[in-house]
PDB file of all heavy atoms in Angstrom:
ATOM      1  N   PRO G  26       0.847  -1.271  -0.006  1.00 86.00           N
ATOM      2  CA  PRO G  26      -0.017   0.001   0.045  1.00 86.00           C
ATOM      3  C   PRO G  26       0.857   1.231   0.018  1.00 86.00           C
ATOM      4  O   PRO G  26       0.511   2.256  -0.644  1.00 86.00           O
ATOM      5  CB  PRO G  26      -0.869  -0.143   1.280  1.00 86.00           C
ATOM      6  CG  PRO G  26      -0.960  -1.625   1.534  1.00 86.00           C
ATOM      7  CD  PRO G  26       0.376  -2.197   1.037  1.00 86.00           C
ATOM      8  N   ALA G  27       1.938   1.246   0.718  1.00 86.00           N
ATOM      9  CA  ALA G  27       2.903   2.431   0.706  1.00 86.00           C
ATOM     10  C   ALA G  27       3.423   2.739  -0.652  1.00 86.00           C
ATOM     11  O   ALA G  27       3.583   3.846  -0.997  1.00 86.00           O
ATOM     12  CB  ALA G  27       3.964   2.167   1.766  1.00 86.00           C
ATOM     13  N   GLU G  28       3.758   1.638  -1.384  1.00 91.00           N
ATOM     14  CA  GLU G  28       4.274   1.846  -2.734  1.00 91.00           C
ATOM     15  C   GLU G  28       3.117   2.294  -3.656  1.00 91.00           C
ATOM     16  O   GLU G  28       3.372   3.211  -4.447  1.00 91.00           O
ATOM     17  CB  GLU G  28       4.872   0.625  -3.268  1.00 91.00           C
ATOM     18  CG  GLU G  28       6.112   0.137  -2.527  1.00 91.00           C
ATOM     19  CD  GLU G  28       6.610  -1.263  -2.982  1.00 91.00           C
ATOM     20  OE1 GLU G  28       5.751  -2.041  -3.329  1.00 91.00           O
ATOM     21  OE2 GLU G  28       7.798  -1.491  -2.923  1.00 91.00           O
ATOM     22  N   SER G  29       2.021   1.734  -3.558  1.00 91.00           N
ATOM     23  CA  SER G  29       0.945   2.107  -4.443  1.00 91.00           C
ATOM     24  C   SER G  29       0.437   3.566  -4.248  1.00 91.00           C
ATOM     25  O   SER G  29      -0.004   4.220  -5.257  1.00 91.00           O
ATOM     26  CB  SER G  29      -0.258   1.161  -4.215  1.00 91.00           C
ATOM     27  OG  SER G  29       0.108  -0.207  -4.619  1.00 91.00           O
ATOM     28  N   ARG G  30       0.458   4.048  -2.977  1.00 90.00           N
ATOM     29  CA  ARG G  30       0.079   5.445  -2.847  1.00 90.00           C
ATOM     30  C   ARG G  30       0.865   6.491  -3.479  1.00 90.00           C
ATOM     31  O   ARG G  30       0.424   7.616  -3.721  1.00 90.00           O
ATOM     32  CB  ARG G  30      -0.028   5.766  -1.297  1.00 90.00           C
ATOM     33  CG  ARG G  30       1.171   5.807  -0.491  1.00 90.00           C
ATOM     34  CD  ARG G  30       0.881   6.117   0.953  1.00 90.00           C
ATOM     35  NE  ARG G  30       0.356   7.481   1.091  1.00 90.00           N
ATOM     36  CZ  ARG G  30       1.167   8.604   1.387  1.00 90.00           C
ATOM     37  NH1 ARG G  30       2.472   8.390   1.686  1.00 90.00           N
ATOM     38  NH2 ARG G  30       0.663   9.719   1.556  1.00 90.00           N
ATOM     39  N   ARG G  31       2.047   6.058  -3.989  1.00 93.00           N
ATOM     40  CA  ARG G  31       2.831   7.020  -4.812  1.00 93.00           C
ATOM     41  C   ARG G  31       2.174   7.354  -6.076  1.00 93.00           C
ATOM     42  O   ARG G  31       2.458   8.381  -6.774  1.00 93.00           O
ATOM     43  CB  ARG G  31       4.261   6.481  -5.087  1.00 93.00           C
ATOM     44  CG  ARG G  31       5.149   6.327  -3.867  1.00 93.00           C
ATOM     45  CD  ARG G  31       6.638   6.160  -4.275  1.00 93.00           C
ATOM     46  NE  ARG G  31       6.848   4.940  -5.054  1.00 93.00           N
ATOM     47  CZ  ARG G  31       7.470   3.814  -4.571  1.00 93.00           C
ATOM     48  NH1 ARG G  31       7.884   3.818  -3.339  1.00 93.00           N
ATOM     49  NH2 ARG G  31       7.653   2.854  -5.335  1.00 93.00           N
ATOM     50  N   ALA G  32       1.309   6.437  -6.500  1.00 96.00           N
ATOM     51  CA  ALA G  32       0.543   6.674  -7.738  1.00 96.00           C
ATOM     52  C   ALA G  32      -0.816   7.216  -7.590  1.00 96.00           C
ATOM     53  O   ALA G  32      -1.601   7.426  -8.494  1.00 96.00           O
ATOM     54  CB  ALA G  32       0.439   5.309  -8.528  1.00 96.00           C
ATOM     55  N   LEU G  33      -1.182   7.622  -6.285  1.00 96.00           N
ATOM     56  CA  LEU G  33      -2.450   8.137  -6.040  1.00 96.00           C
ATOM     57  C   LEU G  33      -2.448   9.654  -6.013  1.00 96.00           C
ATOM     58  O   LEU G  33      -1.458  10.272  -5.481  1.00 96.00           O
ATOM     59  CB  LEU G  33      -2.958   7.585  -4.731  1.00 96.00           C
ATOM     60  CG  LEU G  33      -3.566   6.176  -4.731  1.00 96.00           C
ATOM     61  CD1 LEU G  33      -3.990   5.830  -3.274  1.00 96.00           C
ATOM     62  CD2 LEU G  33      -4.798   6.066  -5.645  1.00 96.00           C
ATOM     63  N   ALA G  34      -3.587  10.288  -6.360  1.00 96.00           N
ATOM     64  CA  ALA G  34      -3.706  11.695  -6.183  1.00 96.00           C
ATOM     65  C   ALA G  34      -3.892  11.945  -4.686  1.00 96.00           C
ATOM     66  O   ALA G  34      -4.012  11.036  -3.845  1.00 96.00           O
ATOM     67  CB  ALA G  34      -4.989  12.149  -6.910  1.00 96.00           C
ATOM     68  N   HIS G  35      -3.811  13.258  -4.319  1.00 93.00           N
ATOM     69  CA  HIS G  35      -3.741  13.697  -2.881  1.00 93.00           C
ATOM     70  C   HIS G  35      -4.956  13.007  -2.138  1.00 93.00           C
ATOM     71  O   HIS G  35      -4.789  12.685  -1.035  1.00 93.00           O
ATOM     72  CB  HIS G  35      -3.786  15.181  -2.785  1.00 93.00           C
ATOM     73  CG  HIS G  35      -3.800  15.670  -1.399  1.00 93.00           C
ATOM     74  ND1 HIS G  35      -2.713  15.448  -0.531  1.00 93.00           N
ATOM     75  CD2 HIS G  35      -4.696  16.387  -0.616  1.00 93.00           C
ATOM     76  CE1 HIS G  35      -2.980  15.990   0.679  1.00 93.00           C
ATOM     77  NE2 HIS G  35      -4.127  16.569   0.577  1.00 93.00           N
ATOM     78  N   ARG G  36      -6.125  13.037  -2.781  1.00 92.00           N
ATOM     79  CA  ARG G  36      -7.317  12.452  -2.122  1.00 92.00           C
ATOM     80  C   ARG G  36      -7.714  11.195  -2.874  1.00 92.00           C
ATOM     81  O   ARG G  36      -8.945  10.834  -2.888  1.00 92.00           O
ATOM     82  CB  ARG G  36      -8.473  13.454  -2.155  1.00 92.00           C
ATOM     83  CG  ARG G  36      -8.182  14.690  -1.272  1.00 92.00           C
ATOM     84  CD  ARG G  36      -8.163  14.347   0.150  1.00 92.00           C
ATOM     85  NE  ARG G  36      -7.935  15.527   1.027  1.00 92.00           N
ATOM     86  CZ  ARG G  36      -7.813  15.488   2.314  1.00 92.00           C
ATOM     87  NH1 ARG G  36      -7.980  14.290   2.959  1.00 92.00           N
ATOM     88  NH2 ARG G  36      -7.585  16.522   3.012  1.00 92.00           N
ATOM     89  N   GLY G  37      -6.857  10.535  -3.424  1.00 95.00           N
ATOM     90  CA  GLY G  37      -7.161   9.296  -4.249  1.00 95.00           C
ATOM     91  C   GLY G  37      -7.585   8.152  -3.347  1.00 95.00           C
ATOM     92  O   GLY G  37      -7.420   8.140  -2.095  1.00 95.00           O
ATOM     93  N   ILE G  38      -8.100   7.131  -4.017  1.00 96.00           N
ATOM     94  CA  ILE G  38      -8.597   5.959  -3.318  1.00 96.00           C
ATOM     95  C   ILE G  38      -7.921   4.658  -3.804  1.00 96.00           C
ATOM     96  O   ILE G  38      -7.927   4.432  -5.064  1.00 96.00           O
ATOM     97  CB  ILE G  38     -10.101   5.763  -3.445  1.00 96.00           C
ATOM     98  CG1 ILE G  38     -10.844   7.033  -2.910  1.00 96.00           C
ATOM     99  CG2 ILE G  38     -10.628   4.454  -2.830  1.00 96.00           C
ATOM    100  CD1 ILE G  38     -12.412   6.996  -3.175  1.00 96.00           C
ATOM    101  N   LEU G  39      -7.365   3.819  -2.980  1.00 94.00           N
ATOM    102  CA  LEU G  39      -6.760   2.585  -3.341  1.00 94.00           C
ATOM    103  C   LEU G  39      -7.789   1.474  -2.849  1.00 94.00           C
ATOM    104  O   LEU G  39      -8.135   1.442  -1.675  1.00 94.00           O
ATOM    105  CB  LEU G  39      -5.421   2.380  -2.584  1.00 94.00           C
ATOM    106  CG  LEU G  39      -4.931   0.934  -2.650  1.00 94.00           C
ATOM    107  CD1 LEU G  39      -4.530   0.508  -4.022  1.00 94.00           C
ATOM    108  CD2 LEU G  39      -3.714   0.826  -1.750  1.00 94.00           C
ATOM    109  N   VAL G  40      -8.201   0.692  -3.862  1.00 94.00           N
ATOM    110  CA  VAL G  40      -9.168  -0.422  -3.518  1.00 94.00           C
ATOM    111  C   VAL G  40      -8.296  -1.692  -3.594  1.00 94.00           C
ATOM    112  O   VAL G  40      -7.861  -2.090  -4.715  1.00 94.00           O
ATOM    113  CB  VAL G  40     -10.347  -0.433  -4.415  1.00 94.00           C
ATOM    114  CG1 VAL G  40     -11.275  -1.592  -4.070  1.00 94.00           C
ATOM    115  CG2 VAL G  40     -11.135   0.853  -4.408  1.00 94.00           C
ATOM    116  N   GLY G  41      -8.047  -2.309  -2.523  1.00 88.00           N
ATOM    117  CA  GLY G  41      -7.206  -3.541  -2.491  1.00 88.00           C
ATOM    118  C   GLY G  41      -8.107  -4.742  -2.637  1.00 88.00           C
ATOM    119  O   GLY G  41      -8.784  -5.117  -1.672  1.00 88.00           O
ATOM    120  N   ALA G  42      -8.209  -5.339  -3.919  1.00 80.00           N
ATOM    121  CA  ALA G  42      -8.989  -6.472  -4.174  1.00 80.00           C
ATOM    122  C   ALA G  42      -8.208  -7.705  -4.496  1.00 80.00           C
ATOM    123  O   ALA G  42      -8.771  -8.684  -5.011  1.00 80.00           O
ATOM    124  CB  ALA G  42      -9.962  -6.137  -5.235  1.00 80.00           C
ATOM    125  N   ALA G  43      -6.851  -7.684  -4.187  1.00 76.00           N
ATOM    126  CA  ALA G  43      -6.033  -8.842  -4.545  1.00 76.00           C
ATOM    127  C   ALA G  43      -6.057  -9.827  -3.408  1.00 76.00           C
ATOM    128  O   ALA G  43      -6.119  -9.430  -2.219  1.00 76.00           O
ATOM    129  CB  ALA G  43      -4.672  -8.351  -4.838  1.00 76.00           C
ATOM    130  N   PRO G  44      -5.855 -11.149  -3.700  1.00 62.00           N
ATOM    131  CA  PRO G  44      -5.634 -12.099  -2.618  1.00 62.00           C
ATOM    132  C   PRO G  44      -4.429 -11.740  -1.817  1.00 62.00           C
ATOM    133  O   PRO G  44      -3.363 -11.485  -2.387  1.00 62.00           O
ATOM    134  CB  PRO G  44      -5.426 -13.391  -3.325  1.00 62.00           C
ATOM    135  CG  PRO G  44      -6.021 -13.183  -4.715  1.00 62.00           C
ATOM    136  CD  PRO G  44      -5.835 -11.746  -4.950  1.00 62.00           C
ATOM    137  N   THR G  45      -4.551 -11.617  -0.466  1.00 57.00           N
ATOM    138  CA  THR G  45      -3.426 -11.295   0.332  1.00 57.00           C
ATOM    139  C   THR G  45      -2.509 -12.440   0.566  1.00 57.00           C
ATOM    140  O   THR G  45      -2.953 -13.509   0.870  1.00 57.00           O
ATOM    141  CB  THR G  45      -3.909 -10.682   1.696  1.00 57.00           C
ATOM    142  OG1 THR G  45      -4.939  -9.670   1.477  1.00 57.00           O
ATOM    143  CG2 THR G  45      -2.830 -10.077   2.497  1.00 57.00           C
ATOM    144  N   LYS G  46      -1.209 -12.193   0.482  1.00 59.00           N
ATOM    145  CA  LYS G  46      -0.249 -13.300   0.683  1.00 59.00           C
ATOM    146  C   LYS G  46      -0.180 -13.658   2.072  1.00 59.00           C
ATOM    147  O   LYS G  46      -0.388 -12.837   2.999  1.00 59.00           O
ATOM    148  CB  LYS G  46       1.139 -12.809   0.124  1.00 59.00           C
ATOM    149  CG  LYS G  46       1.111 -12.545  -1.409  1.00 59.00           C
ATOM    150  CD  LYS G  46       2.457 -12.056  -1.858  1.00 59.00           C
ATOM    151  CE  LYS G  46       2.530 -11.949  -3.393  1.00 59.00           C
ATOM    152  NZ  LYS G  46       1.449 -11.070  -3.931  1.00 59.00           N
ATOM    153  N   GLY G  47       0.173 -14.904   2.307  1.00 55.00           N
ATOM    154  CA  GLY G  47       0.184 -15.366   3.703  1.00 55.00           C
ATOM    155  C   GLY G  47      -0.753 -16.550   3.859  1.00 55.00           C
ATOM    156  O   GLY G  47      -1.923 -16.335   3.489  1.00 55.00           O
ATOM    157  N   GLN G  48      -0.360 -17.657   4.322  1.00 56.00           N
ATOM    158  CA  GLN G  48      -1.210 -18.845   4.467  1.00 56.00           C
ATOM    159  C   GLN G  48      -2.070 -18.864   5.809  1.00 56.00           C
ATOM    160  O   GLN G  48      -3.004 -19.613   5.879  1.00 56.00           O
ATOM    161  CB  GLN G  48      -0.428 -20.138   4.411  1.00 56.00           C
ATOM    162  CG  GLN G  48       0.488 -20.204   3.183  1.00 56.00           C
ATOM    163  CD  GLN G  48      -0.259 -20.252   1.897  1.00 56.00           C
ATOM    164  OE1 GLN G  48      -1.539 -20.345   1.880  1.00 56.00           O
ATOM    165  NE2 GLN G  48       0.343 -20.188   0.816  1.00 56.00           N
ATOM    166  N   TRP G  49      -1.694 -18.033   6.755  1.00 52.00           N
ATOM    167  CA  TRP G  49      -2.376 -18.048   8.044  1.00 52.00           C
ATOM    168  C   TRP G  49      -3.288 -16.846   8.186  1.00 52.00           C
ATOM    169  O   TRP G  49      -4.418 -16.780   7.757  1.00 52.00           O
ATOM    170  CB  TRP G  49      -1.400 -18.236   9.180  1.00 52.00           C
ATOM    171  CG  TRP G  49      -0.681 -19.535   9.183  1.00 52.00           C
ATOM    172  CD1 TRP G  49       0.477 -19.894   8.565  1.00 52.00           C
ATOM    173  CD2 TRP G  49      -1.142 -20.731   9.727  1.00 52.00           C
ATOM    174  NE1 TRP G  49       0.763 -21.145   8.759  1.00 52.00           N
ATOM    175  CE2 TRP G  49      -0.221 -21.742   9.474  1.00 52.00           C
ATOM    176  CE3 TRP G  49      -2.321 -21.031  10.519  1.00 52.00           C
ATOM    177  CZ2 TRP G  49      -0.453 -23.055   9.905  1.00 52.00           C
ATOM    178  CZ3 TRP G  49      -2.488 -22.363  10.920  1.00 52.00           C
ATOM    179  CH2 TRP G  49      -1.531 -23.380  10.682  1.00 52.00           C
ATOM    180  N   ALA G  50      -2.722 -15.758   8.757  1.00 53.00           N
ATOM    181  CA  ALA G  50      -3.532 -14.567   8.970  1.00 53.00           C
ATOM    182  C   ALA G  50      -3.229 -13.520   8.021  1.00 53.00           C
ATOM    183  O   ALA G  50      -3.554 -12.344   8.275  1.00 53.00           O
ATOM    184  CB  ALA G  50      -3.259 -14.064  10.425  1.00 53.00           C
ATOM    185  N   GLY G  51      -2.696 -13.784   6.834  1.00 52.00           N
ATOM    186  CA  GLY G  51      -2.353 -12.863   5.868  1.00 52.00           C
ATOM    187  C   GLY G  51      -3.460 -11.883   5.521  1.00 52.00           C
ATOM    188  O   GLY G  51      -3.278 -10.697   5.487  1.00 52.00           O
ATOM    189  N   PRO G  52      -4.687 -12.370   5.271  1.00 59.00           N
ATOM    190  CA  PRO G  52      -5.782 -11.585   4.790  1.00 59.00           C
ATOM    191  C   PRO G  52      -6.092 -10.534   5.912  1.00 59.00           C
ATOM    192  O   PRO G  52      -6.326  -9.329   5.688  1.00 59.00           O
ATOM    193  CB  PRO G  52      -6.942 -12.480   4.608  1.00 59.00           C
ATOM    194  CG  PRO G  52      -6.266 -13.781   4.172  1.00 59.00           C
ATOM    195  CD  PRO G  52      -5.098 -13.793   5.022  1.00 59.00           C
ATOM    196  N   VAL G  53      -6.097 -10.969   7.165  1.00 59.00           N
ATOM    197  CA  VAL G  53      -6.474 -10.025   8.333  1.00 59.00           C
ATOM    198  C   VAL G  53      -5.392  -8.978   8.465  1.00 59.00           C
ATOM    199  O   VAL G  53      -5.707  -7.813   8.601  1.00 59.00           O
ATOM    200  CB  VAL G  53      -6.569 -10.930   9.617  1.00 59.00           C
ATOM    201  CG1 VAL G  53      -6.802  -9.935  10.847  1.00 59.00           C
ATOM    202  CG2 VAL G  53      -7.686 -11.888   9.495  1.00 59.00           C
ATOM    203  N   ILE G  54      -4.110  -9.367   8.352  1.00 62.00           N
ATOM    204  CA  ILE G  54      -3.025  -8.408   8.458  1.00 62.00           C
ATOM    205  C   ILE G  54      -3.098  -7.434   7.350  1.00 62.00           C
ATOM    206  O   ILE G  54      -2.889  -6.212   7.560  1.00 62.00           O
ATOM    207  CB  ILE G  54      -1.664  -9.206   8.415  1.00 62.00           C
ATOM    208  CG1 ILE G  54      -1.514 -10.065   9.730  1.00 62.00           C
ATOM    209  CG2 ILE G  54      -0.522  -8.186   8.393  1.00 62.00           C
ATOM    210  CD1 ILE G  54      -0.317 -10.882   9.776  1.00 62.00           C
ATOM    211  N   GLY G  55      -3.403  -7.927   6.101  1.00 64.00           N
ATOM    212  CA  GLY G  55      -3.486  -6.980   5.025  1.00 64.00           C
ATOM    213  C   GLY G  55      -4.586  -5.936   5.178  1.00 64.00           C
ATOM    214  O   GLY G  55      -4.365  -4.734   4.873  1.00 64.00           O
ATOM    215  N   VAL G  56      -5.736  -6.329   5.712  1.00 66.00           N
ATOM    216  CA  VAL G  56      -6.789  -5.421   5.919  1.00 66.00           C
ATOM    217  C   VAL G  56      -6.424  -4.420   6.976  1.00 66.00           C
ATOM    218  O   VAL G  56      -6.648  -3.195   6.905  1.00 66.00           O
ATOM    219  CB  VAL G  56      -8.116  -6.180   6.361  1.00 66.00           C
ATOM    220  CG1 VAL G  56      -9.182  -5.106   6.875  1.00 66.00           C
ATOM    221  CG2 VAL G  56      -8.634  -7.009   5.245  1.00 66.00           C
ATOM    222  N   LEU G  57      -5.763  -4.881   8.022  1.00 66.00           N
ATOM    223  CA  LEU G  57      -5.362  -4.012   9.081  1.00 66.00           C
ATOM    224  C   LEU G  57      -4.331  -2.966   8.643  1.00 66.00           C
ATOM    225  O   LEU G  57      -4.335  -1.835   9.032  1.00 66.00           O
ATOM    226  CB  LEU G  57      -4.686  -4.780  10.262  1.00 66.00           C
ATOM    227  CG  LEU G  57      -5.699  -5.641  11.093  1.00 66.00           C
ATOM    228  CD1 LEU G  57      -4.987  -6.430  12.094  1.00 66.00           C
ATOM    229  CD2 LEU G  57      -6.773  -4.772  11.831  1.00 66.00           C
ATOM    230  N   LYS G  58      -3.418  -3.354   7.785  1.00 69.00           N
ATOM    231  CA  LYS G  58      -2.475  -2.412   7.196  1.00 69.00           C
ATOM    232  C   LYS G  58      -3.183  -1.278   6.459  1.00 69.00           C
ATOM    233  O   LYS G  58      -2.787  -0.107   6.550  1.00 69.00           O
ATOM    234  CB  LYS G  58      -1.446  -3.156   6.304  1.00 69.00           C
ATOM    235  CG  LYS G  58      -0.495  -3.978   6.944  1.00 69.00           C
ATOM    236  CD  LYS G  58       0.515  -4.661   5.975  1.00 69.00           C
ATOM    237  CE  LYS G  58       1.548  -5.500   6.689  1.00 69.00           C
ATOM    238  NZ  LYS G  58       2.422  -6.089   5.640  1.00 69.00           N
ATOM    239  N   LEU G  59      -4.097  -1.632   5.676  1.00 70.00           N
ATOM    240  CA  LEU G  59      -4.844  -0.620   4.901  1.00 70.00           C
ATOM    241  C   LEU G  59      -5.651   0.338   5.847  1.00 70.00           C
ATOM    242  O   LEU G  59      -5.659   1.505   5.612  1.00 70.00           O
ATOM    243  CB  LEU G  59      -5.916  -1.332   3.947  1.00 70.00           C
ATOM    244  CG  LEU G  59      -5.338  -2.020   2.768  1.00 70.00           C
ATOM    245  CD1 LEU G  59      -6.370  -2.722   2.004  1.00 70.00           C
ATOM    246  CD2 LEU G  59      -4.560  -1.033   1.833  1.00 70.00           C
ATOM    247  N   ILE G  60      -6.224  -0.252   6.911  1.00 68.00           N
ATOM    248  CA  ILE G  60      -6.968   0.629   7.854  1.00 68.00           C
ATOM    249  C   ILE G  60      -6.035   1.614   8.521  1.00 68.00           C
ATOM    250  O   ILE G  60      -6.345   2.811   8.607  1.00 68.00           O
ATOM    251  CB  ILE G  60      -7.702  -0.306   8.896  1.00 68.00           C
ATOM    252  CG1 ILE G  60      -8.898  -1.088   8.178  1.00 68.00           C
ATOM    253  CG2 ILE G  60      -8.259   0.572  10.044  1.00 68.00           C
ATOM    254  CD1 ILE G  60      -9.438  -2.081   9.105  1.00 68.00           C
ATOM    255  N   VAL G  61      -4.879   1.083   9.038  1.00 68.00           N
ATOM    256  CA  VAL G  61      -3.916   1.937   9.734  1.00 68.00           C
ATOM    257  C   VAL G  61      -3.409   3.075   8.812  1.00 68.00           C
ATOM    258  O   VAL G  61      -3.354   4.246   9.186  1.00 68.00           O
ATOM    259  CB  VAL G  61      -2.821   1.123  10.371  1.00 68.00           C
ATOM    260  CG1 VAL G  61      -1.726   1.971  10.851  1.00 68.00           C
ATOM    261  CG2 VAL G  61      -3.347   0.180  11.452  1.00 68.00           C
ATOM    262  N   LEU G  62      -2.997   2.602   7.667  1.00 69.00           N
ATOM    263  CA  LEU G  62      -2.408   3.574   6.675  1.00 69.00           C
ATOM    264  C   LEU G  62      -3.377   4.698   6.252  1.00 69.00           C
ATOM    265  O   LEU G  62      -3.080   5.768   6.188  1.00 69.00           O
ATOM    266  CB  LEU G  62      -1.820   2.854   5.511  1.00 69.00           C
ATOM    267  CG  LEU G  62      -1.034   3.681   4.453  1.00 69.00           C
ATOM    268  CD1 LEU G  62       0.119   4.314   5.149  1.00 69.00           C
ATOM    269  CD2 LEU G  62      -0.633   2.758   3.295  1.00 69.00           C
ATOM    270  N   SER G  63      -4.577   4.262   5.995  1.00 71.00           N
ATOM    271  CA  SER G  63      -5.655   5.159   5.660  1.00 71.00           C
ATOM    272  C   SER G  63      -5.919   6.264   6.689  1.00 71.00           C
ATOM    273  O   SER G  63      -6.294   7.369   6.319  1.00 71.00           O
ATOM    274  CB  SER G  63      -6.976   4.471   5.396  1.00 71.00           C
ATOM    275  OG  SER G  63      -7.944   5.238   4.718  1.00 71.00           O
ATOM    276  N   ARG G  64      -5.576   5.993   7.890  1.00 72.00           N
ATOM    277  CA  ARG G  64      -5.826   6.951   8.962  1.00 72.00           C
ATOM    278  C   ARG G  64      -4.731   7.968   9.105  1.00 72.00           C
ATOM    279  O   ARG G  64      -4.939   8.959   9.821  1.00 72.00           O
ATOM    280  CB  ARG G  64      -6.052   6.208  10.281  1.00 72.00           C
ATOM    281  CG  ARG G  64      -7.389   5.483  10.331  1.00 72.00           C
ATOM    282  CD  ARG G  64      -7.600   4.794  11.715  1.00 72.00           C
ATOM    283  NE  ARG G  64      -8.951   4.211  11.737  1.00 72.00           N
ATOM    284  CZ  ARG G  64      -9.536   3.605  12.798  1.00 72.00           C
ATOM    285  NH1 ARG G  64      -8.813   3.651  13.978  1.00 72.00           N
ATOM    286  NH2 ARG G  64     -10.649   3.097  12.747  1.00 72.00           N
ATOM    287  N   ILE G  65      -3.574   7.717   8.477  1.00 72.00           N
ATOM    288  CA  ILE G  65      -2.403   8.579   8.720  1.00 72.00           C
ATOM    289  C   ILE G  65      -1.986   9.311   7.418  1.00 72.00           C
ATOM    290  O   ILE G  65      -1.093  10.053   7.425  1.00 72.00           O
ATOM    291  CB  ILE G  65      -1.269   7.923   9.376  1.00 72.00           C
ATOM    292  CG1 ILE G  65      -0.808   6.751   8.389  1.00 72.00           C
ATOM    293  CG2 ILE G  65      -1.682   7.375  10.726  1.00 72.00           C
ATOM    294  CD1 ILE G  65       0.497   6.073   8.979  1.00 72.00           C
ATOM    295  N   VAL G  66      -2.713   8.943   6.291  1.00 75.00           N
ATOM    296  CA  VAL G  66      -2.362   9.670   5.005  1.00 75.00           C
ATOM    297  C   VAL G  66      -3.654  10.330   4.481  1.00 75.00           C
ATOM    298  O   VAL G  66      -4.741  10.055   4.895  1.00 75.00           O
ATOM    299  CB  VAL G  66      -1.755   8.676   4.032  1.00 75.00           C
ATOM    300  CG1 VAL G  66      -0.523   8.013   4.520  1.00 75.00           C
ATOM    301  CG2 VAL G  66      -2.802   7.574   3.682  1.00 75.00           C
ATOM    302  N   SER G  67      -3.416  11.178   3.416  1.00 76.00           N
ATOM    303  CA  SER G  67      -4.538  11.863   2.844  1.00 76.00           C
ATOM    304  C   SER G  67      -5.392  10.993   1.970  1.00 76.00           C
ATOM    305  O   SER G  67      -6.572  11.290   1.751  1.00 76.00           O
ATOM    306  CB  SER G  67      -4.037  13.062   2.070  1.00 76.00           C
ATOM    307  OG  SER G  67      -3.168  12.642   1.023  1.00 76.00           O
ATOM    308  N   GLN G  68      -4.815   9.909   1.464  1.00 77.00           N
ATOM    309  CA  GLN G  68      -5.565   8.971   0.583  1.00 77.00           C
ATOM    310  C   GLN G  68      -6.410   8.033   1.407  1.00 77.00           C
ATOM    311  O   GLN G  68      -6.179   7.849   2.558  1.00 77.00           O
ATOM    312  CB  GLN G  68      -4.635   8.240  -0.302  1.00 77.00           C
ATOM    313  CG  GLN G  68      -3.854   9.098  -1.322  1.00 77.00           C
ATOM    314  CD  GLN G  68      -2.439   9.289  -0.904  1.00 77.00           C
ATOM    315  OE1 GLN G  68      -2.067   9.191   0.262  1.00 77.00           O
ATOM    316  NE2 GLN G  68      -1.584   9.586  -1.868  1.00 77.00           N
ATOM    317  N   THR G  69      -7.394   7.427   0.734  1.00 85.00           N
ATOM    318  CA  THR G  69      -8.216   6.420   1.303  1.00 85.00           C
ATOM    319  C   THR G  69      -7.732   5.116   0.846  1.00 85.00           C
ATOM    320  O   THR G  69      -7.573   4.867  -0.350  1.00 85.00           O
ATOM    321  CB  THR G  69      -9.733   6.590   0.900  1.00 85.00           C
ATOM    322  OG1 THR G  69     -10.131   7.912   1.372  1.00 85.00           O
ATOM    323  CG2 THR G  69     -10.587   5.559   1.506  1.00 85.00           C
TER     324      THR G  69
END
């Protein structure tokens, strides 16, 4: 997400619809990363 936001406009939106890597809690960790990052940057 940190790399992708370089390609976003100031108020742009990143929609993460890819299968999250990791065989155990990968999907949960992926969602949490997006939630945390969204709260500290201008993009959604």
Side-chain angles (χ1 to χ4, degrees):
E28 291 171 334
S29 292
R30 66 180 292 263
R31 292 198 297 255
L33 282 177
H35 181 64
R36 295 292 180 183
I38 300 175
L39 168 65
V40 182
T45 307
K46 295 178 174 58
Q48 305 297 352
W49 292 92
V53 175
I54 294 172
V56 171
L57 290 175
K58 285 181 179 179
L59 289 174
I60 292 173
V61 171
L62 187 59
S63 190
R64 292 186 175 183
I65 61 177
V66 299
S67 61
Q68 295 104 336
T69 300

